[in-house]
Amino acid sequence: MTAAKGTGTSTQVGPPLWLLAELTYRCPLQCPYCSNPLDFAQSEQELSTEQWFSVLRQGREMGAAQLGFSGGEPLVRPDLPELIAEARNLGYYTNLITSGLGLTDAKVDAFAEAGLDHIQISFQASDPELNNAVAGSRKAFEQKLAMAEAVKSAGYPMVLNFVIHRHNIHQMPDILDLCERLGADYVELATCQYYGWAFRNREGLMPSLAQLTKAEAEVNEARERLQASGSAMKLIFVTPDYYEERPKACMNGWGSLFLTVAPDGTALPCHSARLLPIDFPKVQSTSLKEIWYDSPGFNHYRGDTWMPEPCRSCDEKGKDFGGCRCQAYLLTGNADNADPVCSKSAHHDRILAARRAADHATAGLDDLVYRNVKNSRLFFRS
Amino acid sequence: MSEDGASRIPRLRRGFRFQWEPVQSCHVLLYPEGMVKLNDSAGAILGEVDGQRNVDLIVASLQLKFPDENDLGADVREFLNDAVQRHWIEWL
Ligand code: SF4
Ligand code: SF4
């Protein structure tokens, strides 16, 4: 505790209600906005089934109720059905976050039997051509469509996720049509968040303000139409915070609700926190309880005593906690700084420059760096 | 939202799960990537929603559990209608 910078103590800190199990970094796709670390290929070690069981048990005892299985592509883990069954047994609400590649009708049914509550399938676009180009796979789109339908007919709620960027944002009306046709219950339209591969490719991904404004109007229109028709389809549009003047309350506060366990067992307050120059503990050597309540890594940015100006004396610090530490680090070189999205930040000009660049960007899909092992190796060799 | 909905049967929507969370010591409603903490009365009412019993039977059952409360019916109906609006439950 004494080594920690934050003010969090075991008594003030609430339980981690949300556990994200990143089962693997392996994935058949190559999305250029992937949130996995750039050097993911450096860490090939994965927790065993037994080790995951232990993580799940400890997390549930501490109060975690929502559990996400993600990756990489979680379907590459052959023990996924066992992990689902164990999680369901423990009382988690279990979410599978998948690209749909490697999914089959039989698996969809087997997972339901094991107690899986929900499958989220991510799409890259509303048509095969663009979808497959972004995903770096020739048959991805057809497979995704088939699996979305399989998920629905197996009785799960249908949750579709579209990652939005400058190359597909113009498809918004088609995307919404497709979701309606498929009968989705929830649609997440998630504009890229610029960490990991998306940060590396930001110039080629970030939509212009004009593009964004148009898409927002289209989404709002669709919302009204859905509401008027009594449809229960829910649209969630996550816009890029690069167009805001105040940062998001990242993860609802550092170490306040979310606990991520990376494939190699590293425990993180958020899946991108790995890029920070902070030492995070591993579940193999430290109990989850100790990690959450007592580790220097998790206490590092709890409370507000770590804040420099302008956050320190700002009356909004209880609202946004100074924004995102990863964004502060990526854009200013110091993770303690205010998130530069904030107009009070001395580094806000970096955000303004990115907006200007988005107005004039000409890069095509071919200019993006795709997320694959070969490209990843370049990042840790250099 | 008609007032003579006494014979209607509510059930949780697909993908919604209602359960007791010991660590938070409250009932919660879980759904894809979301969770609502329920207060005591919401927890008590949703606990009766089983896709089998209609509103009248739910009110009667709650009345037995909380004999000191008079006329629970209006509150229960209001809550159920609200829960339908939020797409937590649906009428069979
Ligand atoms: S974002 Fe794309 S490449 Fe990254 S894990 Fe998901 S499907 Fe794979
Ligand atoms: S100065 Fe810091 S605390 Fe204040 S609004 Fe900006 S980021 Fe938030």
Side-chain angles (χ1 to χ4, degrees), chain A residues 205-227:
Chain A
L205 291 171
M206 187 165 145
S208 68
L209 182 58
Q211 282 185 307
L212 187 67
T213 314
K214 182 163 175 281
E216 268 188 302
E218 288 161 349
V219 172
N220 286 336
E221 208 173 284
R223 267 202 198 107
E224 278 165 35
R225 191 163 36 80
L226 290 166
Q227 176 135 35

Side-chain angles (χ1 to χ4, degrees), chain A residues 41-57:
Chain A
Q42 195 167 22
S43 113
E44 283 173 346
Q45 189 207 353
E46 290 179 9
L47 293 184
S48 68
T49 311
E50 285 305 323
Q51 286 170 321
W52 277 117
F53 281 175
S54 160
V55 168
L56 297 179
R57 244 174 273 131

Side-chain angles (χ1 to χ4, degrees), chain A residues 186-202:
Chain A
Y186 301 84
V187 179
E188 278 180 24
L189 306 156
T191 321
C192 292
Q193 306 281 325
Y194 305 106
Y195 312 103
W197 294 78
F199 184 73
R200 174 69 185 70
N201 286 312
R202 189 186 66 201

Side-chain angles (χ1 to χ4, degrees), chain A residues 18 60 66 88 91-93 95 117-118 120 152 155 185-186 188, chain B residues 13-17 19 21 23-24 30-35 87:
Chain A
W18 219 290
R60 185 68 190 133
Q66 280 283 355
R88 185 62 185 78
Y92 281 106
Y93 190 92
N95 306 276
D117 290 290
H118 143 237
Q120 176 194 295
K152 178 126 193 159
D185 296 291
Y186 301 84
E188 278 180 24
Chain B
R13 271 187 68 216
R14 188 169 63 171
F16 282 73
R17 211 162 83 211
Q19 70 186 31
E21 282 300 302
V23 174
Q24 302 178 64
L30 294 155
Y31 53 93
E33 288 168 64
M35 167 164 58
H87 300 295

Side-chain angles (χ1 to χ4, degrees), chain A residues 92-156:
Chain A
Y92 281 106
Y93 190 92
T94 50
N95 306 276
L96 174 65
I97 298 151
T98 173
S99 69
L101 266 83
L103 202 55
T104 59
D105 288 324
K107 281 188 192 171
V108 168
D109 292 339
F111 294 160
E113 208 147 293
L116 185 64
D117 290 290
H118 143 237
I119 301 181
Q120 176 194 295
I121 298 184
S122 64
F123 279 75
Q124 281 76 10
S126 63
D127 72 277
E129 215 172 303
L130 184 56
N131 185 91
N132 298 349
V134 176
S137 154
R138 236 167 292 142
K139 49 181 192 348
F141 189 71
E142 237 176 283
Q143 164 73 6
K144 284 165 190 284
L145 278 188
M147 286 307 112
E149 277 159 8
V151 160
K152 178 126 193 159
S153 54
Y156 296 97

Side-chain angles (χ1 to χ4, degrees), chain B:
Chain B
M1 261 107 302
S2 75
E3 273 316 297
D4 54 342
S7 59
R8 287 194 295 180
I9 300 173
R11 72 163 169 212
L12 285 179
R13 271 187 68 216
R14 188 169 63 171
F16 282 73
R17 211 162 83 211
F18 168 81
Q19 70 186 31
W20 173 256
E21 282 300 302
V23 174
Q24 302 178 64
S25 60
C26 67
H27 282 103
V28 298
L29 195 59
L30 294 155
Y31 53 93
E33 288 168 64
M35 167 164 58
V36 220
K37 279 182 149 190
L38 300 166
N39 62 25
D40 291 347
S41 50
I45 301 171
L46 275 184
E48 303 287 326
V49 171
D50 57 5
Q52 310 279 330
R53 288 173 302 159
N54 66 23
V55 178
D56 262 354
L57 289 170
I58 289 175
V59 172
S61 156
L62 285 165
Q63 201 69 69
L64 278 177
K65 288 186 183 164
F66 304 98
D68 297 341
E69 305 281 332
N70 39 41
D71 196 23
L72 282 165
D75 289 345
V76 172
R77 273 191 294 276
E78 190 187 323
F79 174 82
L80 291 175
N81 282 330
D82 189 50
V84 170
Q85 293 278 296
R86 292 169 192 259
H87 300 295
W88 292 351
I89 60 171
E90 60 195 1
W91 300 116
L92 266 179

Side-chain angles (χ1 to χ4, degrees), chain A residues 145-175:
Chain A
L145 278 188
M147 286 307 112
E149 277 159 8
V151 160
K152 178 126 193 159
S153 54
Y156 296 97
M158 186 198 275
V159 185
L160 304 181
N161 170 281
F162 287 80
V163 178
I164 306 294
H165 44 75
R166 60 183 300 121
H167 304 288
N168 66 3
I169 194 166
H170 64 281
Q171 292 191 327
M172 195 58 86
D174 298 334
I175 290 175

